[in-house]
């Protein structure tokens, strides 16, 4: 029987009302004992790259319910993230992940719901945060090789000046937003140049993608790739495939450059080919069959990418309705599997998705991670018409 996604959305809302009330003072990354969220809002953790997703989850819930509990909690997270602007080393390429789901989402919602008193007061501040974040991201662009530098120095001897990562495709929408907001083409030009580099150097012939690519930071030439968070060099880390699928789709949505649609299709087709029969996404498509670690975040992110790509196939002049149907069906299958095998809808437990994995070679696997919950909700909202478009 087909899943009733409106009923799933109701279960999520009923759960999150209780979870958010219980966690007003936190910015969660994962859960600790007794299914309770941890807290990444202290000074030493506030710049962690996932800290925007709790805000995004709150704004999506506010969009669906109009309940002030969610807006108030989202505004709080947004303010807490201001500490990052005073931490140069904490300001890496994940400015998009931090401020698109928080400050920029706030701006978009405030404009959409013009009458909401809860949102109006802070819109100028939110816009200011989004623009500061976009300027910081643009400042990471290396014109020698046309790429955005991923991370700052880690102090461990590794030279990361020439490193770019596929995840950054999801940060580019912050630059598209800033160009639209300021009617200033600089940000968009940087996003396009980075996306062109990623299309050339990250996507392999078979449609799989690399995680990390190292360029010579002075000559701009390709040096090598790295296994990153996947199984190893040459493998297909599934969350990275998801970032690429969704990221190129978004670059197409924002630019109408047909090369990005073609890139998204190629990655999507390969991803779909490799979904296992049971629909559960491994941490890496090339990992050994045992241990069979799973990553629900990859499934949720890929589902969001596939649904957005399906919509682009349906509505854009370069699209195809066959592709649109195929991508939507694949997304729904991924989501049905998560709903059936992984979701915890109990209000007594803080987490929603239960089997997420940060990196293949980490000690810990298959545990709750906040961006899994965020993207699952975004996907269900896409299916039920509740979504705030954040990217
Ligand atoms: N962007 C880092 C990750 O996906 O784990």
């Amino acid at each position: 029987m087909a899943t009733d996604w409106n009923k799933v959305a109701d279960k999520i809302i009923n759960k999150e009302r209780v979870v958010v009330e219980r966690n007003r003072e936190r910015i969660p990354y994962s859960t600790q004992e007794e299914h309770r969220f941890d807290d990444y809002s202290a000074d030493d953790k506030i710049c962690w790259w996932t800290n925007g997703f709790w805000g995004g989850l709150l704004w999506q819930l506010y969009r669906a319910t109009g309940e002030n509990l969610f807006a108030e909690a989202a505004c709080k997270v947004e303010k807490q993230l201001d500490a990052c602007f005073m931490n140069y080393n904490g300001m890496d390429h994940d400015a998009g992940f931090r401020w698109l789901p928080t400050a920029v989402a706030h701006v978009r919602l405030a404009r959409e719901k013009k009458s909401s008193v809860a949102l109006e007061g802070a819109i100028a501040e939110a816009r200011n945060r989004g623009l500061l974040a976009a300027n910081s991201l643009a400042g990471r662009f290396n014109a020698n090789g046309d790429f955005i530098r991923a991370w700052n120095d880690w102090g461990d001897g590794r030279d990361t000046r020439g490193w770019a990562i596929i995840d950054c495709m999801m940060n580019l929408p912050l630059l598209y937003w800033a160009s639209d907001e300021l009617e200033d083409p600089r940000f968009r030009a940087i996003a396009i140049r980075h996306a062109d580099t990623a299309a050339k150097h990250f996507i392999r012939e078979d449609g799989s993608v690399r995680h990390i690519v190292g360029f010579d930071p002075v000559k701009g030439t390709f040096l090598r790739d790295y296994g990153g968070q996947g199984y190893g060099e040459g493998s297909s880390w599934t969350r990275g495939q998801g970032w690429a699928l969704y990221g190129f789709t978004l670059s197409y949505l924002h630019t109408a450059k047909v090369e990005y649609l073609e890139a998204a299709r190629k990655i999507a087709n390969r991803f779909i080919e490799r979904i296992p029969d049971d629909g559960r996404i491994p941490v890496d498509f090339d990992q050994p069959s045992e241990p069979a670690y799973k990553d629900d975040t990859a499934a949720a992110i890929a589902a969001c990418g596939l649904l957005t790509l399906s919509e682009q196939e349906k509505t854009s002049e370069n699209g195809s309705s066959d592709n649109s149907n195929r991508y939507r069906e694949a997304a729904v299958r991924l989501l049905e599997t998560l709903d059936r095998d992984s979701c915890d809808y109990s209000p007594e437990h803080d987490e929603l998705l239960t089997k997420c994995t940060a990196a293949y070679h980490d000690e810990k696997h298959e545990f709750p991670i906040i961006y899994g919950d965020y993207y699952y909700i975004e996907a269900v909202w896409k299916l039920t018409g509740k979504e705030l478009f954040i990217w």
Side-chain angles (χ1 to χ4, degrees), residues 246-263:
Y246 200 3
F248 277 104
T249 301
L250 290 166
S251 271
Y252 176 64
L253 184 155
H254 287 291
T255 65
K257 270 190 77 168
V258 76
E259 294 85 349
Y260 301 153
L261 175 63
E262 283 161 2

Side-chain angles (χ1 to χ4, degrees), residues 49 94 97 167 229 237 239 243 358 371:
W49 75 274
D94 282 328
F97 282 135
D167 323 31
Q229 286 159 253
W237 175 49
R239 192 162 61 255
W243 293 139
Y371 49 88

Side-chain angles (χ1 to χ4, degrees), residues 49-57 59-60 74 77-78 81 85 93-109 126-127 129-134 137 167-181 243 246-247 250 254 374-375 378 388-391:
W49 75 274
T50 66
N51 273 356
F53 291 108
W54 179 237
L57 179 149
W59 284 129
Q60 295 291 4
V77 175
E78 183 188 313
L81 289 183
F85 290 125
H93 77 124
D94 282 328
F97 282 135
R98 294 186 188 88
W99 283 282
L100 281 168
T102 54
V104 177
H106 186 170
V107 173
R108 293 193 205 276
L109 254 171
R127 180 176 181 274
R129 291 177 175 115
L131 293 173
L132 284 171
L137 181 56
D167 323 31
C168 191
M169 289 302 299
M170 290 299 294
N171 291 317
L172 301 186
L174 181 63
L175 300 176
Y176 297 127
W177 171 79
S179 263
D180 291 345
E181 194 65 24
W243 293 139
Y246 200 3
L250 290 166
H254 287 291
Y374 172 78
Y375 282 104
E378 184 184 300
L388 168 69
F389 181 71
I390 278 186
W391 311 106

